[in-house]
């Protein structure tokens, strides 16, 4: 069952830079997929098109039956509510506590206080941060901050979680911890896409790996490690 | 169920709007003072212009033609003249004022008049019997005056002539200038508010970006800011409203409702000040909400 189907997608920015050329890709429901490639190879551009921060110049991006490429700007929020996004810089709100950083999403959607509490605590429990609900982001380590961001991404039970270099700011041990958290989420049925630079992690996780090179899909390793001699 | 959700979201946004005013207090204060100053000037301008309008109406109502009757007319002739005046169109009322009456009134006015007038015998009274004629339409007063002047036995007619008319046109100009000032002030304030709120929003760009990423609609991003603008408008109108209510009623009390001359009567303070206050609050709130919603627009993808 394919969940995401990318067909002949091309992206040229208004500046004239083409970030992606004729990309074709299918991702199955419940898959865990790594996207790797050198800096500037178009990984973030691809992610941005999945959560519809950017529109492809050509081609189709179907997510759960909807062509996201055609989505109007003012309708984008409907897509975003069904997916979670995680970034290298966490993007937490510094004036809010851990609990509030996760809960505000649900509050914004109008859930009642009790529902908000139950779902927020469940998400924070899943990432192992139930003890830190009252802390502020500045009082947490990088790994803990990223786990708050992951809790926020999954709190509304999305079908898809998109992570753009979630471990880019973290040390190797912490990075692996984050990947394990994402794996747990994946095991609960969520489709997970992770952009990363980190070869070791990719090799350890034994998941599907897609290699981008200068805006083109270079390799698609169905399972496990990718060729160690491959330069990217 | 959906309604319940919307109510919860609204309550949350009202809370957030208030929180943000407190959190960015110095900037909020800038916006609030902006509105306060404008509304104070707007209040003075509106009250001024409405009262000028009122003066104008009072003066118009007071438009009277004084008809002086030849001294050789007897009572019968005077009644005929009255009848002829009444037959003209545009006549509201006619009141008789005999020269004796006028002399008596003048006597009361000063000691000197009293001495002089008291020395006159009945036949020596040099004054005229008069009719005080009020017209329906003050714009046609000169026309009516001319017709009355032609009536046999009428010695002279007098009315405000050029003086009152030019006074009216001056009031008209003042009123127009005040309207222009009010409107431009409101527009200028709206843009000042837009820019002040833009500064507060600038420091919250990241918050807006995150909200967008997690699935906030444009409306739900906008709502707290617009509510914030509403409160800024409300708070900004407190001082102008108090000044209007207390200031105007005090002015009215101190002057007895009469300014400069008996022509210029002020409106009764109640409910006048409440109407003005409501107008001020509405202007403040609308300007605040408009300002915020303009300011936040830049950060939305529409
Ligand atoms: N907003 C943008 N405007 C113009 N060019 C961009 C923009 N974002 C990315 N690019 C360009 O597109 C190419 C791919 O960038 P990106 O997708 O960020 O790569 P990666 O995430 O793999 O490092 C780069 O050449 C980059 O300079
Ligand atoms: Mg990138």
């Amino acid at each position: 069952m394919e969940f995401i189907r990318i067909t002949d997608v091309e992206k040229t920015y208004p500046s004239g830079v083409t970030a992606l050329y004729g990309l074709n890709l299918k991702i199955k429901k419940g898959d865990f997929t790594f996207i790797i490639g050198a800096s500037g190879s178009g990984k973030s551009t691809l992610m941005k098109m999945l959560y519809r921060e950017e529109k492809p110049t050509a081609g189709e991006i179907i997510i759960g039956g909807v062509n996201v490429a055609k989505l109007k700007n003012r309708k984008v929020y409907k897509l975003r509510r069904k997916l979670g996004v995680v970034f290298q810089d966490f993007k937490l709100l510094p004036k809010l506590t851990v609990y509030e950083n996760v809960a505000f999403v649900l509050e914004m959607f109008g859930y009642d206080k009790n529902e908000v509490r139950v779902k927020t605590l469940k998400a924070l429990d899943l990432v192992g941060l139930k003890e830190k609900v009252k802390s502020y982001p500045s009082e947490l380590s990088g790994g803990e901050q990223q786990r708050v961001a992951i809790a926020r991404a999954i709190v509304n039970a999305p079908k898809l979680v998109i992570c753009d270099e979630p471990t880019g700011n973290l040390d190797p041990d912490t990075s692996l911890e984050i990947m394990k958290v994402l794996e747990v989420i994946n095991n609960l049925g969520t489709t997970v896409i992770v952009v990363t630079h980190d070869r070791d992690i990719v090799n350890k996780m034994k998941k599907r790996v897609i290699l981008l090179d200068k805006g083109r899909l270079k390799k698609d390793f169905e399972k496990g490690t990718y060729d160690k001699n491959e330069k990217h | 169920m959906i309604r319940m959700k919307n109510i919860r979201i609204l309550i949350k946004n009202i809370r957030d709007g208030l929180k943000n005013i407190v959190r960015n207090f110095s900037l909020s204060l800038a916006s609030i003072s902006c509105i306060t100053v404008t509304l104070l000037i707007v209040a003075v301008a509106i009250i001024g212009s409405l009262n000028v309008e009122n003066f104008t109406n009072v003066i118009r109502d007071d438009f009277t033609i004084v008809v002086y009757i030849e001294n050789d007319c007897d009572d019968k002739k005077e009644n005929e003249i009255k009848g002829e005046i009444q037959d003209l169109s545009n006549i509201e009322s006619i009141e008789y004022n005999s020269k004796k009456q006028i002399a008596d009134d003048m006597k009361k006015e000063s000691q000197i008049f009293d001495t002089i007038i008291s020395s006159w015998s009945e036949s020596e009274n040099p004054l005229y019997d008069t009719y005080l004629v009020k017209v329906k339409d003050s714009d046609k007063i000169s026309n009516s005056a001319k017709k009355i002047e032609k009536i046999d036995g009428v010695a002279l007619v007098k009315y405000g002539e050029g003086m009152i008319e030019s006074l009216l046109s001056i009031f008209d100009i003042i009123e127009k200038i005040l309207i222009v000032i009010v409107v431009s002030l409101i527009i200028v304030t709206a843009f000042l508010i837009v820019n002040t709120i833009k500064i507060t929003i600038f420091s919250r760009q990241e918050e807006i970006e995150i909200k967008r990423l997690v699935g906030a609609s444009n409306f739900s991003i906008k709502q707290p800011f617009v509510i914030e603008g509403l409160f800024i408008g409300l708070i900004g109108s407190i001082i102008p409203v108090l000044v209007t209510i207390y200031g105007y009623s005090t002015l009215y009390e101190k002057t007895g409702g009469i300014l400069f001359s008996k022509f210029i009567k002020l409106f009764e303070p109640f409910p006048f000040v409440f109407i003005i206050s409501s107008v001020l609050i509405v202007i403040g709130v609308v300007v605040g909400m408009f300002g915020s919603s303009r300011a936040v627009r830049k950060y939305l993808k529409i």
Side-chain angles (χ1 to χ4, degrees), chain A residues 39-40 42-45 88 164-165 195 197:
Chain A
S39 185
K43 307 182 297 293
S44 294
T45 301
Q88 180 168 358
D164 194 349
E165 309 220 22
V195 168
H197 261 120

Side-chain angles (χ1 to χ4, degrees), chain A residues 115-134:
Chain A
E115 269 177 296
V116 170
R117 206 175 56 84
V118 170
K119 287 180 189 231
T120 302
L121 291 179
K122 197 176 143 205
L124 284 169
D125 194 22
L126 195 68
V127 299
L129 277 181
K130 218 174 173 179
E131 266 70 59
K132 303 262 182 174
V133 287
K134 291 209 173 90

